[in-house]
Amino acid sequence: MEAATPSQNRLRALLEASLAISSELSLDALLRRLVEAAAELTGARYGALGVIDPSGSQLERFLTTGIDDETHAAIGELPRGRGILGALIRDARPLRLHDLKDDQRSVGFPPNHPPMRSFLGVPILLRGVAYGNFYLTEKAGDEDFTEEDQELVTLLAGQAAVAIENARLYEASQQWSRQLESLNEVGNALATETDLDRLLDLVARRLRELLGARFVGVLLPAGDAALRFAAVAGDEGVALQGRTIPRSASKAGRVIERGRSERIDSVLDDPEVDREVSRALGARTGLWVPLVVRGRTIGVIEVHDKLGADARFSDTDLRIAETFATRAAVAVDLSQRIARDALRRVVDAQERERRRLARELHDETGQALTSILLGLRSLEEVVQGDEPREATAKLRELVVATLQDVRQLAVELRPKVLDDFGLVPALERLTETFGAQTRIDVQFEPGLADERLPGEVETALYRIVQESLTNVVKHAQAAHVSVLLTRRGGSVAAVIEDDGRGFEPGEADGGFGLEGMRERIQLLDGTLTIESAPGGGTTLVAEVPVR
Amino acid sequence: MSYAVVWEEGNGPVFAGRLELRDGRLDLIGTALGSGPTRRTLHFSELGPVWVERRRTLRLVGRPTLVAEVAAGPRLRISSLDGAGALHELAELLHASAAA
Ligand SMILES: Nc1ncnc2c1ncn2[C@@H]1O[C@H](COP(=O)(O)OP(=O)(O)O)[C@@H](O)[C@H]1O
Ligand SMILES: [Mg+2]
């Protein structure tokens, strides 16, 4: 049998090394096999393989061959990538040296390091990305490494690159699937929570955990011009709970407008970011993800600062937040609907109750009082003597006053004219009474033809005008107020305008008046707009679509 | 707590505005036809007897009226625009505050 030539041996070793890649070795074991093969193939006494971490600045692994454990322990820590090793990390090109210490980039060896002279360094490259380097030293027989050695190691480096990349992809996919799993879990938790406040709280807390973020807030529309932090998670953010921010001058508003999420690595450099919020949080980075259901944007999630050394969020984080937001949006929409239905039932029931009471007062009590009144009249005609006559007259006077109160109460509960003749006559009556009692000059312009609107629209607009007029007396100190009904295309609007002292609509914190109006109008998919400024009067527009 | 009211002192003008009750006093804030914004503050200690007047001729704007004697001034008469219930609530609050 013929002895194998040296280059046949080399090829066999190379083949074995390649086979190892497809076997089920761990990355470390595999890289070890490769570095051993490289040392053996090139006749190097010492071999090493350094893997650069994903940030590209330092070594994350360093595997050696030819150095026994004792020596290894005596040398101590991993090389930190200075000197020649560092040069190869920064400049991924092969390097051959006759003597390491002659190179000007050399920083010398640590104590207890065996002497090394001849050197071959080969980068581990794949599609232009450097994953690390092979380092070989002390070629046998005091020789220098050859061009052929370099080519062989370059082949091995190709194998190493594929292995490292696969391992990284695998790790990333593992992480992604772990996150998907928790995402799924959280999604299921969301689906079972129907109380809106608790749901929003859950959304904020869970997303914060999922992303490892410092702050998560859920913003929902508050009127047409503002957004409100409906839920927040993260210690520094609790003060933001309930805070409103303008839609127009905030990143959150912009993201809602565009319906597209955004990732910002430096909030300071982005002029769209709301300064007040980012300052309150001391935020450095941010993610904004819209909550979209069936093409409608119902809110936005705002996230700040990844915890850890690097505050920036990755593409994966953005993807997680988006996936999460998709599920959260459906849950939020559902619980808003449930809340709306509940509110609608309460409002309807209240109106029904008022109508029933008003009718009872008007028909039963009113009729009874009227009969008593008639009876007293006839009685007055027949009673004899001053005293009984006076007593009857007093009684009659009392009944008249009571009848007046009962009628007024019935009207205040719910005017019959609203049900029988509609919104315009009802508002005519309301504004007349208002003017007579307050002496505020009131103009009513019924810009509607003689038409009836759907019952719930008539009721809502009537109640809104009623509450607005009450607000005018209570707060405006106005001399004039006008009430106008208009039809604009497919909708009807009530406009109540006064020339009083005005107020800052964003800062109004009164009772439930404005809030109640807003809720009422939202039940009908309408909008409530308030234009006012201190000293400048107030205009309130309630607009409702009418089919 | 605030109510929409109209009020009158003696035979003076009828004002419309709001009534606020707090810290042992009563604030009336509003305006009257031909007069600018006004604010009238009365401490509970200045108030004498308080009652609800239902006789038609003694009503303010046709509604049951809360009447209060004021120590150094004409009678104060207040009607609630928030519905009849509010007037009795107001009367009760004033009685409770006066007793306290
Ligand atoms: N027409 C108006 N003119 C001036 N201020 C108003 C007017 N309407 C509302 N406001 C302000 O908005 C606040 C909230 O109104 P609202 O929700 O109805 O509560 P409330 O009437 O019980 O105070 C009021 O306290 C007042 O400061
Ligand atoms: Mg109000």
Side-chain angles (χ1 to χ4, degrees):
Chain A
M1 221 189 170
E2 231 176 300
T5 63
S7 74
Q8 274 176 318
N9 279 339
R10 287 183 140 196
L11 279 175
R12 187 169 307 125
L14 191 60
L15 191 64
E16 271 173 15
S18 314
L19 283 176
I21 287 185
S22 50
S23 74
E24 291 177 22
L25 290 176
S26 72
L27 182 63
D28 266 352
L30 176 64
L31 295 177
R32 191 169 297 286
R33 290 279 290 269
L34 287 171
V35 75
E36 279 164 5
E40 194 185 322
L41 285 165
T42 56
R45 173 153 181 211
Y46 304 111
L49 188 158
V51 179
I52 306 170
D53 76 7
S55 79
S57 57
Q58 51 194 5
L59 294 175
E60 106 186 341
R61 297 167 204 251
F62 195 74
L63 305 161
T64 59
T65 177
I67 297 182
D68 57 52
D69 292 347
E70 250 170 73
T71 319
H72 213 299
I75 300 172
E77 295 176 12
L78 283 182
R80 278 192 300 272
R82 297 180 302 145
I84 301 285
L85 298 193
L88 273 166
I89 289 174
R90 286 185 297 277
D91 182 15
R93 271 184 303 191
L95 177 68
R96 263 185 291 146
L97 299 171
H98 169 64
D99 192 335
L100 272 169
K101 70 174 187 311
D102 293 343
D103 192 281
Q104 59 193 21
R105 290 167 296 187
S106 175
V107 290
F109 293 111
N112 304 317
H113 199 283
M116 294 178 179
R117 282 178 303 270
S118 59
F119 176 84
L120 168 62
V122 174
I124 299 170
L125 287 170
L126 187 66
R127 292 187 287 273
V129 179
Y131 286 100
N133 289 289
F134 273 96
Y135 311 103
L136 299 154
T137 60
E138 290 287 299
K139 189 169 168 84
D142 270 349
E143 284 177 36
D144 286 350
F145 288 98
T146 63
E147 182 76 41
E148 198 192 346
D149 291 334
Q150 184 178 322
E151 272 166 27
L152 277 168
V153 178
T154 304
L155 286 173
L156 290 173
Q159 314 269 9
V162 171
I164 296 168
E165 192 189 48
N166 280 344
R168 292 230 169 119
L169 286 175
Y170 178 71
E171 210 169 278
S173 74
Q174 282 293 91
Q175 195 191 348
W176 175 230
S177 82
R178 265 198 309 277
Q179 277 165 325
L180 267 185
E181 229 168 76
S182 30
L183 204 54
N184 208 34
E185 220 176 89
V186 174
N188 293 340
L190 296 187
T192 55
E193 181 58 78
T194 52
D195 178 80
L196 185 59
D197 287 335
R198 280 206 301 268
L199 173 70
L200 294 169
D201 187 56
L202 196 64
V203 167
R205 278 189 296 120
R206 288 305 180 85
L207 183 61
R208 179 167 172 263
E209 284 164 21
L210 219 50
L211 294 177
R214 204 155 63 80
F215 171 84
V216 173
V218 184
L219 289 139
L220 299 180
D224 295 325
L227 294 168
R228 193 173 66 88
F229 278 99
V232 295
D235 296 340
E236 294 100 327
V238 285
L240 288 176
Q241 173 75 45
R243 176 94 77 88
T244 55
I245 58 171
R247 248 183 210 238
S248 55
S250 66
K251 176 65 89 187
R254 286 293 140 82
V255 164
I256 287 193
E257 224 168 74
R258 297 191 278 250
R260 244 193 354 258
S261 48
E262 245 185 90
R263 179 164 67 102
I264 302 294
D265 286 345
S266 169
V267 295
L268 283 178
D269 297 331
D270 192 306
E272 282 183 359
V273 175
D274 185 288
R275 288 279 157 259
E276 221 182 294
V277 171
S278 56
R279 206 171 302 136
L281 291 169
R284 286 184 285 162
T285 68
L287 280 184
W288 284 263
V289 184
L291 293 167
V292 183
V293 202
R294 276 159 292 156
R296 206 163 49 88
T297 305
I298 58 169
V300 62
I301 294 181
E302 176 164 346
V303 187
H304 288 293
D305 295 355
K306 182 124 183 142
L307 291 170
D310 190 349
R312 289 174 301 177
F313 292 98
S314 64
D315 283 335
T316 310
D317 292 328
L318 182 61
R319 246 187 316 156
I320 290 171
E322 283 174 341
T323 311
F324 182 79
T326 310
R327 300 206 54 174
V330 174
V332 170
D333 180 53
L334 181 69
S335 86
Q336 278 177 335
R337 275 162 198 276
I338 291 172
R340 243 168 93 120
D341 278 355
L343 177 65
R344 193 193 309 275
R345 271 199 297 274
V346 169
V347 167
D348 286 353
Q350 192 189 38
E351 243 5 279
R352 261 202 315 277
E353 185 72 6
R354 282 167 160 255
R355 186 187 287 126
R356 200 178 60 70
L357 280 173
R359 191 155 296 168
E360 176 119 355
L361 282 175
H362 190 272
D363 296 354
E364 302 292 329
T365 317
Q367 286 306 322
L369 286 170
T370 310
S371 311
I372 294 173
L373 197 60
L374 291 175
L376 284 173
R377 277 218 181 105
S378 358
L379 200 60
E380 255 181 314
E381 279 164 21
V382 294
V383 284
Q384 303 288 321
D386 288 349
E387 230 172 84
R389 207 174 260 157
E390 210 171 288
T392 329
K394 253 191 181 162
L395 216 50
R396 188 165 63 89
E397 171 60 26
L398 185 64
V399 174
V400 169
T402 307
L403 191 56
Q404 185 183 338
D405 291 347
V406 164
R407 286 201 177 126
Q408 183 141 25
L409 186 56
V411 170
E412 274 161 9
L413 279 167
R414 183 169 169 102
K416 202 166 174 317
V417 51
L418 182 60
D419 290 316
D420 294 350
F421 302 103
L423 186 59
V424 171
L427 287 181
E428 242 155 36
R429 184 82 64 85
L430 179 70
T431 48
E432 234 167 67
T433 311
F434 176 84
Q437 295 187 338
T438 63
R439 288 155 218 206
I440 295 172
D441 172 51
V442 51
Q443 300 288 326
F444 175 50
E445 290 175 45
L448 288 181
D450 240 357
E451 62 181 316
R452 288 302 300 264
L453 301 168
E456 71 263 22
V457 173
E458 290 194 332
T459 299
L461 292 180
Y462 182 81
R463 294 293 179 208
I464 285 168
V465 172
Q466 197 175 28
E467 172 63 22
S468 299
L469 289 178
T470 302
N471 274 350
V472 171
V473 195
K474 283 174 73 176
H475 309 296
Q477 298 182 309
H480 307 276
V481 53
S482 69
V483 176
L484 168 73
L485 288 179
T486 56
R487 184 143 206 150
R488 323 179 178 176
S491 68
V492 171
V495 183
I496 302 96
E497 187 169 3
D498 70 60
D499 63 351
R501 51 189 291 129
F503 68 112
E504 197 61 70
E507 289 163 17
D509 57 351
F512 295 103
L514 295 179
E515 194 52 38
M517 288 191 225
R518 184 151 275 141
E519 281 177 346
R520 217 158 177 153
I521 217 80
Q522 276 168 357
L523 283 181
L524 301 173
D525 294 319
T527 55
L528 185 81
T529 333
I530 299 165
E531 260 177 56
S532 186
T538 301
T539 305
L540 184 142
V541 183
E543 185 160 4
V544 197
V546 183
R547 283 153 286 274
Chain B
M1 183 82 77
S2 76
Y3 300 87
V5 295
V6 293
W7 78 91
E8 183 189 66
E9 285 187 88
N11 289 321
V14 176
F15 291 90
R18 72 177 183 276
L19 180 152
E20 289 179 1
L21 283 181
R22 57 160 175 238
D23 307 335
R25 62 171 213 261
L26 176 158
D27 282 310
L28 292 159
I29 301 146
T31 179
L33 191 64
S35 93
T38 177
R39 177 182 205 115
R40 175 85 166 99
T41 297
L42 283 162
H43 292 271
F44 292 159
S45 57
E46 295 174 65
L47 297 181
V50 173
W51 71 95
V52 174
E53 183 59 73
R54 303 180 50 95
R55 282 173 289 183
R56 281 196 298 158
T57 47
L58 298 174
R59 291 177 171 210
L60 188 57
V61 299
R63 290 168 171 262
T65 301
L66 188 90
V67 184
E69 300 284 3
V70 179
R75 269 186 186 174
L76 173 66
R77 304 197 303 139
I78 303 169
S79 274
S80 156
L81 300 175
D82 285 328
L87 192 79
H88 292 281
E89 193 178 303
L90 190 56
E92 252 166 50
L93 280 172
L94 281 177
H95 279 141
S97 321

